[in-house]
Amino acid sequence: MTELTHPEFRIDGDRLIDRLAALAEIGAIVDTAGSSRLAFTDADKEGRDLVMTWMTDLGLDVTIDGIGNTVGLWRPDGMDETAARSAPVMTGSHIDTVRTGGRYDGNLGVLAGLEVIESLATAGIRPDRPLAVAFFSNEEGARFPPDMMGSLVYVGGMGLEDAQAITGIDGAVVGEELDRIGYRGSAPCPGLVPHAFVELHIEQGPVLEEQEIQIGVVESVQGISWTEVTIDGQSNHAGTTPMRLRHDAGYAAARIATFARQLAADLGPPQVATVGAIDLHPNLVNVVAARATLTVDLRNTDDQILQDAEARLMAELDAVARAEGVEITTRSLARFEPVSFDPTVVDLVEHTAKALGSTTLRLPSGAGHDAQMLARVCPTAMIFTPSRDGISHNPAEHTDRQDLVAGANVLAHVMMALTKT
Ligand code: GLV
Ligand code: MN
Ligand code: MN
């Protein structure tokens, strides 16, 4: 059983919930609890400004790098010089959302990190190392692929200039948007390597709720493969063109979407497959579609099976192209292998949660997270809290207050324990 360094210490749950609510007001989706803050939009800027204010009010040393990753470093007053110069224990997540996001995805991890530092400072507890809380840019990748872009750049997995040059679904360019919202900073990339990293996040799936477990101990993140598929057919008259003469990009797109569902069924769980975006051109009732662009999101915990799924998708695209007389081209938007977290930090999360009285379950993450990028450079793990009805990427996303607070307390005690390692 893990000995807690400060057994009585707890974060301020009311302040955490109030801040989650205040941040959710920015980009609020009317008549829902959710928010819309796609990366590098005006709403994202407003959210960043608010969290930055909280960071600076708390006296953190805040730095922003060239992709907009923002890190607040806490070196408590009176910390001796050697300790102050040592690598921080870092936490964090993201505050961008999908277009129809909830209020907890990412935001919980950032605001809980802030809360841990503020509550420790108020309690007069001085850790043996600096602590840091970060929000990484464009975790969602919904506007500018890939997902986890900011943390990928932070750990040196993508060049800064390459990331800044990426064009989004609306034709905007990352670097120009960063300038426009004032978040192209000058802190170096790759960034400061933490002593260890731990991220608190909602599960975004049904497992914890179904099993009535309060804290998920995340052992791994499944592999992610995003492909953009473009189909070029031929526009023609919907009334006069015999079916045998059509090169219908819309029909070809529908075949691919149906195939993706069948692929997941054939491979079985945990394989998942999603066609989340389809664009038709000219998108008119009486015109056979000339062009379709769609995305295919494939994920699996086993990279061999994921590679098999990708190969089967490519074979199907060839078959559809031949059968329908259309041209199909593809572009990889994201490809990340499955990631295993550090067993020692995973054990620490489990023991800490139990010591605080929570029930626990070890599980893999279905969603991508910034922690999977940080795992490339330092010992890393994650803490999950339950999601009502397993719903996420939806304004109805909800986690009960006591679970949010329990998760933040686990985060606090795990961070304090990591300062001793
Ligand atoms: C990103 O957060 C994803 O899992 O899609
Ligand atoms: Mn997230
Ligand atoms: Mn998300």
Side-chain angles (χ1 to χ4, degrees), residues 40 44 48 52 55 62-71 93-95 134-138 149-151 153-154 160 163-164 174-175 177-179 181-189:
F40 311 131
D44 184 21
R48 287 166 176 268
M52 281 270 289
M55 284 180 165
V62 179
T63 53
I64 305 172
D65 68 17
I67 196 73
N69 294 321
T70 303
V71 179
S93 192
H94 60 99
I95 57 170
F135 55 85
F136 295 101
S137 292
N138 186 31
M149 181 190 284
S151 45
V153 171
Y154 187 88
L160 182 56
Q164 289 169 342
V174 168
E177 288 294 87
L178 278 166
D179 287 336
I181 66 169
Y183 274 87
R184 190 200 289 246
S186 56
C189 270

Side-chain angles (χ1 to χ4, degrees), residues 44-276:
D44 184 21
K45 173 200 162 34
E46 246 192 273
R48 287 166 176 268
D49 290 350
L50 179 61
V51 178
M52 281 270 289
T53 305
W54 287 329
M55 284 180 165
T56 45
D57 286 354
L58 187 48
L60 305 188
D61 181 3
V62 179
T63 53
I64 305 172
D65 68 17
I67 196 73
N69 294 321
T70 303
V71 179
L73 189 65
W74 182 47
R75 294 190 195 92
D77 291 341
M79 182 174 240
D80 84 63
E81 257 195 48
T82 318
R85 276 202 307 270
S86 63
V89 171
M90 186 184 280
T91 188
S93 192
H94 60 99
I95 57 170
D96 69 309
T97 73
V98 294
R99 202 195 307 277
T100 49
R103 64 171 53 186
Y104 302 111
D105 177 0
N107 305 307
L108 172 63
V110 176
L111 299 186
L114 201 64
E115 183 50 50
V116 168
I117 295 174
E118 188 149 2
S119 287
L120 287 172
T122 305
I125 298 173
R126 286 197 203 144
D128 295 346
R129 288 176 173 278
L131 299 184
V133 55
F135 55 85
F136 295 101
S137 292
N138 186 31
E139 189 274 351
E140 295 292 2
R143 184 179 181 211
F144 298 98
D147 48 352
M148 286 82 70
M149 181 190 284
S151 45
L152 182 64
V153 171
Y154 187 88
V155 302
M158 178 185 269
L160 182 56
E161 286 173 12
D162 291 342
Q164 289 169 342
I166 288 172
T167 301
I169 55 173
D170 51 7
V173 177
V174 168
E176 291 168 12
E177 288 294 87
L178 278 166
D179 287 336
R180 193 182 63 79
I181 66 169
Y183 274 87
R184 190 200 289 246
S186 56
C189 270
L192 173 73
V193 176
H195 176 65
F197 184 85
V198 59
E199 178 175 356
L200 172 64
H201 205 284
I202 55 167
E203 181 203 340
Q204 309 182 271
V207 177
L208 296 177
E209 184 184 62
E210 279 173 3
Q211 300 198 31
E212 298 184 12
I213 299 286
Q214 186 162 52
I215 294 294
V217 179
V218 188
E219 294 183 297
S220 58
V221 180
Q222 67 180 345
I224 301 174
S225 167
W226 286 0
T227 305
E228 181 185 75
V229 179
T230 301
I231 305 161
D232 282 298
Q234 185 182 51
S235 292
N236 213 331
H237 195 291
T240 60
T241 314
M243 300 311 285
R244 67 188 161 80
L245 291 182
R246 294 183 182 214
H247 305 287
D248 184 344
Y251 174 68
R255 267 188 68 166
I256 295 162
T258 307
F259 171 81
R261 169 59 76 97
Q262 192 56 47
L263 176 65
D266 291 348
L267 292 172
Q271 181 65 49
V272 287
T274 307
V275 172

Side-chain angles (χ1 to χ4, degrees), residues 281-326:
H281 180 80
N283 206 26
L284 296 170
V285 62
N286 54 356
V287 183
V288 173
R291 172 175 269 229
T293 309
L294 65 147
T295 56
V296 184
D297 174 321
L298 301 174
R299 306 195 195 198
N300 202 302
T301 50
D302 182 327
D303 203 59
Q304 283 302 117
I305 304 176
L306 186 56
Q307 287 177 31
D308 181 28
E310 293 173 311
R312 292 192 198 198
L313 171 66
M314 291 304 158
E316 175 69 7
L317 298 184
D318 279 347
V320 171
R322 267 184 274 109
E324 302 303 323
V326 294

